Amino acid sequence: MVTIQDIARVAGVSKATVSRALSGKVFVREEVKARIMQAVADTGYRPNLLARNLSTNKTHSIGLVITNGLYNGPFFSSLVYQAATLSEKQNRQLVLADGKHSAQDERNAIDLLIELRCEAIMLYPKYLSVSELDDIVDKIQTPIVVINRELIRNRRHCVFTDHQRSSEEMMAHLLAHGHTRIAFISGCNDSPTGERRLQGYRNALLNAGIDPDPQLVVQGSWSTESGYDAGLQLLARNIPFTCVLAANDDMAIGVAKAFQDAGKTIPGDISLAGFDDSVIGKYYTPSLTTVRVPIDEMIQDAIKILLHPDESVPSSHQGTLVSRDSVTPQAVAV
């Protein structure tokens, strides 16, 4: 590996002169600087960024912690894409750390980004509780913003959307179409987002004077495959329903496939809706009614909070109902 000492030897100058020339902060004669830059080009020297970070305490990087269990799907691909492109616009490099499978793993990922001298950290938690997240924000000196979770003590350090309210608004849309026997495909048991969406479903039914039927709720796990299995389970229960609301678009697409394999049509026999407004739902046939989660705006505001703390940035963001072809007025119950 080529070192600064090698550059100094080729250019015929001291190691300190090479360091001054490469930093650009100290004047070095143009003739000497030209020799040094030619030596860099000839040797293929690449600076040791970690060593430079340790010496300057600056990395121009933003860390993102997200568990690998969330990588698989278009919503989280979009999240990482937005984080990378928006970081780049701020002349920062995005550093991704895996939160893996537990709250301790998420803490370890945060510690890793701190050790790498990331100047700020975004955290999309799955396992850490709100109280644990508040404690982390209080404790560490590195600026941190929590995405998709509402903190109690550190509201200025989070950006989130009200999933329960979005679910209630979607249910109001479905009820307005005459659907009263609405099934729900839930997300993972340990998901705060899934719990809030399920609670919104239940609240909307109760507010409409309808007792929630436990037989109309089927457990999923966010994946398309789990949506397919949930759709088959729902049909096997042999109970009437006219509409299905899945806790995300991926599962809704799986439900649609299960129904179509069983000879059912959407929306002719059964209406269908989801959450997240993924690209696949927009171009699916029939196009999927859903709730758009403003992840672009949430990431943008998270970066503003981290890099421009004096600016006024909202913590709460609202989802938007997107009405498409997969929901029509109530048909005869299946």
Side-chain angles (χ1 to χ4, degrees), residues 203-267:
N203 287 353
L205 290 175
L206 291 172
N207 290 337
I210 302 170
D211 291 330
D213 183 351
Q215 284 292 98
L216 287 175
V217 177
V218 184
Q219 180 75 53
S221 62
W222 300 119
S223 69
T224 304
E225 293 81 3
S226 74
Y228 183 86
D229 292 340
L232 294 181
Q233 290 181 48
L234 191 59
L235 291 172
R237 291 178 182 180
N238 197 28
I239 54 176
F241 59 92
T242 64
C243 182
V244 175
L245 174 58
N248 75 347
D249 290 350
D250 290 0
M251 292 193 296
I253 298 301
V255 170
K257 174 62 174 171
F259 289 173
Q260 289 165 359
D261 287 352
K264 307 296 182 183
T265 63
I266 297 172

Side-chain angles (χ1 to χ4, degrees), residues 13 16 19 23 48 56 78 83 90 97 139 195 218-219 242 265 267 290 296:
V13 298
S19 296
S23 72
N48 186 327
T56 65
S78 176
Q90 296 293 326
K139 180 181 177 181
E195 292 171 0
V218 184
Q219 180 75 53
T242 64
T265 63
T290 187
D296 298 10

Side-chain angles (χ1 to χ4, degrees), residues 49 68 154 164 178 218 222 273 285 324:
L49 294 179
N68 61 36
N154 293 283
Q164 180 173 318
V218 184
W222 300 119
T285 301
R324 297 197 182 108

Side-chain angles (χ1 to χ4, degrees), residues 167-182 204-205 208 210 242-243 271 321 323 327-331:
S167 182
E168 291 171 354
E169 291 179 353
M170 173 60 82
M171 284 294 294
H173 177 72
L174 302 178
L175 289 165
H177 278 71
H179 296 284
T180 57
R181 295 287 296 175
I182 304 171
L205 290 175
I210 302 170
T242 64
C243 182
S271 288
L321 178 68
S323 178
V327 172
T328 56
Q330 176 185 356

